[in-house]
Amino acid sequence: MLIYSALFLLPVIGHILSPEIPSRLSRIAWVGLVAFTVLIVGLRFDVGCDWKGYWIIYEVINGINTSSFYHNYINPSSVTRILKEGALYLGLNWLVGQFNAGLVGVNLICALVMLLGLSAFCRRLPLPWLGWLIASPYLITVVGMGYTRQSVAIGLFCWALGSLRDSKIGKYLLFCFFAAGFHISAILLIFLGLIFYRRRYIQALTTFPRLSIALSSGAALVLGLVLWGSLGDDLIRYLTSPHYHSSGASYRALLTAVPGVFLLLLRDKLYQPSSIIH
């Protein structure tokens, strides 16, 4: 329990003291915070609701159970399974397995990517320590330690947001594709970039209407087929099966619903024209 308390209290202390300490010392403290969190999240053992499932993936990918490897990944339906479990995540498991680093090695690399992405996002905020503090209870502790693939996708998306803010749409899309390699749902984030660059899209649509419509329709169709092929079965089971139930769903919904309501109520005060990407 002391470790989890430290994950929360360290950014609290940093937020309180940051205005009073030199910027160089503050940067050193920030690096220390990120490094400490990476070690705690990455070196955990048997922590997280999906730990057993990730362990099975590691064993199967590295040939500890060759029959399961053939059954899961060398058959006509293997593409769907690879997309669902994340091609880059599976590749990372194989690579780490060549060094016999175990699942802890996989988690350490995933924690590094996720938290460096979060760090890059927070450092752009007016109050970086406060941003990290807000992320600590749920994003770092729950998602980072319980849902490894999703956490890496979120970390890469945090990096991608910086690229989007710098008007680097190509870099943003690259980050999104990498994120989709860990969790296929991240491919939907591509459309966020298109929304921000809607002016360029409208200009292209006006100049080359048929080509733009054909490319957009084709891309949407491919994305839809990929998502349905990898997540369609799960979605049907979640909607139709009475055995699937999440006791924490209502609490997770509140975590986003409450700040969402305040965002809508205070949107005039929070709106900053200079921050909008054109």
Side-chain angles (χ1 to χ4, degrees), residues 252-262:
R252 296 174 186 176
L254 285 173
L255 284 173
T256 54
V258 173
V261 169
F262 280 102

Side-chain angles (χ1 to χ4, degrees), residues 150-188:
Q150 291 92 326
S151 70
V152 177
I154 293 172
L156 290 169
F157 178 57
C158 289
W159 251 325
L161 287 175
S163 300
L164 194 62
R165 187 171 184 178
D166 295 336
S167 300
K168 298 177 179 178
I169 185 63
K171 194 174 180 180
Y172 170 82
L173 294 176
L174 185 62
F175 274 120
C176 289
F177 278 116
F178 279 128
F182 284 89
H183 201 275
I184 190 61
S185 62
I187 203 169
L188 292 172

Side-chain angles (χ1 to χ4, degrees), residues 48 65 70 116 125 142 154 167 192 243 247:
N65 189 332
Y70 178 83
L116 285 179
L125 299 177
V142 178
I154 293 172
S167 300
L192 178 62
H243 303 293
S247 58

Side-chain angles (χ1 to χ4, degrees), residues 22-260:
S23 58
R24 182 179 179 182
L25 184 59
S26 179
R27 287 194 295 269
I28 294 174
W30 182 269
V31 172
L33 171 67
V34 175
F36 172 75
T37 309
V38 168
L39 292 176
I40 297 302
V41 176
L43 297 179
R44 71 190 187 277
F45 184 80
D46 201 12
V47 174
C49 57
D50 287 346
W51 175 271
K52 184 177 180 180
Y54 290 133
W55 185 260
I56 292 174
I57 290 175
Y58 178 83
E59 288 187 333
V60 171
I61 286 295
N62 288 286
I64 298 175
N65 189 332
T66 55
S67 61
S68 294
F69 178 81
Y70 178 83
H71 175 73
N72 290 320
Y73 301 106
I74 309 297
N75 59 73
S77 62
S78 60
V79 174
T80 298
R81 188 175 187 91
I82 291 172
L83 287 173
K84 180 179 176 181
E85 295 180 354
L88 290 181
Y89 180 73
L90 297 178
L92 178 61
N93 273 264
W94 176 84
L95 182 62
V96 171
Q98 306 311 299
F99 299 92
N100 295 318
L103 184 59
V104 172
V106 176
N107 289 340
L108 187 62
I109 295 174
C110 289
L112 180 64
V113 174
M114 180 254 187
L115 292 170
L116 285 179
L118 178 62
S119 174
F121 176 80
C122 289
R123 295 298 289 179
R124 287 174 170 267
L125 299 177
L127 299 172
W129 292 89
L130 181 60
W132 190 278
L133 173 62
I134 294 172
S136 295
Y138 193 81
L139 180 57
I140 295 177
T141 304
V142 178
V143 178
M145 294 192 182
Y147 308 97
T148 307
R149 296 187 301 114
Q150 291 92 326
S151 70
V152 177
I154 293 172
L156 290 169
F157 178 57
C158 289
W159 251 325
L161 287 175
S163 300
L164 194 62
R165 187 171 184 178
D166 295 336
S167 300
K168 298 177 179 178
I169 185 63
K171 194 174 180 180
Y172 170 82
L173 294 176
L174 185 62
F175 274 120
C176 289
F177 278 116
F178 279 128
F182 284 89
H183 201 275
I184 190 61
S185 62
I187 203 169
L188 292 172
L189 300 174
I190 292 174
F191 292 103
L192 178 62
L194 297 179
I195 291 173
F196 276 100
Y197 283 84
R198 59 189 179 276
R199 290 187 178 180
R200 294 185 183 180
Y201 174 75
I202 293 173
Q203 183 179 2
L205 184 62
T206 304
T207 309
F208 308 100
R210 294 183 179 179
L211 178 61
S212 299
I213 292 174
L215 291 176
S216 301
S217 301
L221 179 61
V222 171
L223 290 176
L225 291 175
V226 169
L227 287 172
W228 181 256
S230 57
L231 301 176
D233 292 340
D234 289 338
L235 180 61
I236 292 174
R237 284 201 301 270
Y238 292 150
L239 293 176
T240 61
S241 175
H243 303 293
Y244 284 91
H245 175 71
S246 176
S247 58
S250 57
Y251 300 104
R252 296 174 186 176
L254 285 173
L255 284 173
T256 54
V258 173

